[in-house]
Amino acid sequence: TLPLYLRKLIIKNTYNFKTDTDTEVIIAAYQKWGENCLNKLRGMFAFGLWDEAEKKLFCATDRFSIKQLYYYRNKDKFIFSSEIKPIAAAGVKLLPNNRVIYDFLAFGLQDHTKETFFENIFQLAPAHYLIFKNGQLAIKKYWDIEKNLFEVAKKEKDLLDQIDNKLKEVVNYHLVSDVEIGLSLSSGLDSSLLRGLVTGLMPSSEKLKCFNFGFVDTPYDESKRLAVLKNKKCQVFVTPIKSDNFFENYSKLIRVIEEPISGLGTFGYW
């Protein structure tokens, strides 16, 4: 989600928006700040932008690669996409990358390198952008978490207030949306905390739509614990998952995410 403050900041500098889309905000931000526009963006994103004046391609992904960007390059072409399937559709043969497969099977490693499960198809690392110009590829890092740490309060009350303010700030930014807000909810601490913050910031007349998947007849089924939320500004939707529909749909899931899964939760989110 791109916050409204960025649009307002650009408007102050006489940019004439023609649409209400996030896409145009990125174009306007790049036009004003160039590659430094990435420092103005918050939330998740991955995009490619062609600079006609400079004859260069500018691609970037967010600070944690929540949105991914893949690319392939040889001496004749450069292909990029938010998924691997379109790269294959462009004529690139999909071959297994045995190094990455070994790392996953032997050590459970995933997304630890720019390589993917397919040979010669790469993913742009978190907080990085690339420039492709005159047949040359340059990749640069634009943000480092260790250089963006802030000093925490020393007293417990001050520390709790600081955490509370930061969480509310982040949640407020994510409530800026041109579609309805929803929440993936378990009975755990993190999503329960988010539920409390979101419902506290929403108008009192609105109900937050919460979504949960329950692994029926297993110790992992949390759906029954969510019954207490029915009268707490929440509308809860539960998708039951059984062993038969898991095995029926597993291959479809792998085709969508284009890599192995390391836990059942991925199936539920899908």
Side-chain angles (χ1 to χ4, degrees):
T1 300
L2 297 175
L4 292 176
Y5 85 90
L6 185 56
R7 175 183 285 269
K8 293 176 181 177
L9 185 60
I10 297 172
I11 288 175
K12 286 182 181 178
N13 291 276
T14 67
Y15 183 90
N16 183 26
F17 281 93
K18 297 178 176 61
T19 71
D20 295 322
T21 64
D22 285 351
T23 304
E24 192 178 9
V25 176
I26 293 175
I27 295 171
Y30 178 78
Q31 195 173 77
K32 177 171 174 54
W33 294 295
E35 295 156 17
N36 290 327
C37 71
L38 297 173
N39 297 318
K40 306 288 184 180
L41 304 183
R42 298 186 66 161
M44 55 185 181
F45 58 86
F47 64 84
L49 188 153
W50 175 253
D51 186 331
E52 178 64 22
E54 296 289 331
K55 303 295 182 186
K56 69 179 182 182
L57 177 67
F58 172 53
C59 296
T61 186
D62 60 72
R63 290 166 176 79
F64 299 101
S65 280
I66 302 172
K67 294 292 187 180
Q68 293 176 314
L69 191 142
Y70 301 97
Y71 62 93
Y72 167 87
R73 180 197 181 195
N74 64 17
K75 63 179 181 178
D76 299 317
K77 65 182 73 173
F78 180 83
I79 306 171
F80 73 95
S81 176
S82 59
E83 297 182 29
I84 292 175
K85 288 185 287 294
I87 297 177
V92 176
K93 189 174 182 180
L94 297 183
L95 300 172
N97 186 335
N98 292 328
R99 293 180 298 277
V100 173
I101 294 172
Y102 176 82
D103 286 348
F104 176 77
L105 295 177
F107 308 111
L109 295 176
Q110 207 164 356
D111 294 329
H112 60 295
T113 171
K114 68 178 183 178
E115 296 186 43
T116 67
F117 284 89
F118 300 96
E119 196 74 45
N120 298 321
I121 296 179
F122 303 94
Q123 56 187 348
L124 192 58
H128 280 69
Y129 68 90
L130 67 80
I131 300 290
F132 188 73
K133 182 177 181 179
N134 296 328
Q136 300 298 314
L137 177 64
I139 298 178
K140 298 180 181 179
K141 190 173 186 177
Y142 67 86
W143 184 83
D144 190 327
I145 190 170
E146 292 186 359
K147 295 179 181 177
N148 287 273
L149 301 176
F150 57 88
E151 187 174 348
V152 298
K154 293 182 171 56
K155 294 183 179 179
E156 182 178 352
K157 182 183 181 305
D158 295 337
L159 179 60
L160 292 173
D161 288 340
Q162 189 177 32
I163 294 172
D164 185 59
N165 291 334
K166 281 293 179 185
L167 286 171
K168 286 179 178 176
E169 176 189 344
V170 171
V171 170
N172 252 324
Y173 272 116
H174 282 78
L175 290 179
V176 178
S177 176
D178 53 4
V179 295
E180 194 173 1
I181 298 295
L183 178 67
S184 176
L185 182 66
S186 69
S187 62
L189 177 62
D190 49 357
S191 65
S192 298
L193 176 61
L194 286 174
R195 179 200 59 79
L197 289 168
V198 173
T199 53
L201 293 168
M202 290 174 62
S204 57
S205 59
E206 293 185 15
K207 279 194 171 186
L208 174 65
K209 290 186 176 180
C210 300
F211 300 87
N212 173 269
F213 51 88
F215 291 99
V216 179
D217 299 325
T218 74
Y220 308 108
D221 187 8
E222 300 177 324
S223 58
K224 295 178 182 178
R225 303 178 195 173
L226 302 179
V228 297
L229 300 178
K230 286 186 177 180
N231 298 315
K232 296 186 180 296
K233 291 182 65 175
C234 293
Q235 189 176 2
V236 180
F237 301 87
V238 177
T239 300
I241 297 176
K242 299 180 180 179
S243 58
D244 54 353
N245 58 28
F246 175 83
F247 289 108
E248 285 174 7
N249 291 283
Y250 182 77
S251 59
K252 296 178 184 177
L253 168 64
I254 297 303
R255 176 169 174 76
V256 169
I257 65 174
E258 304 170 328
E259 61 184 19
I261 63 173
S262 54
L264 293 176
T266 305
F267 183 86
Y269 288 121
W270 176 65

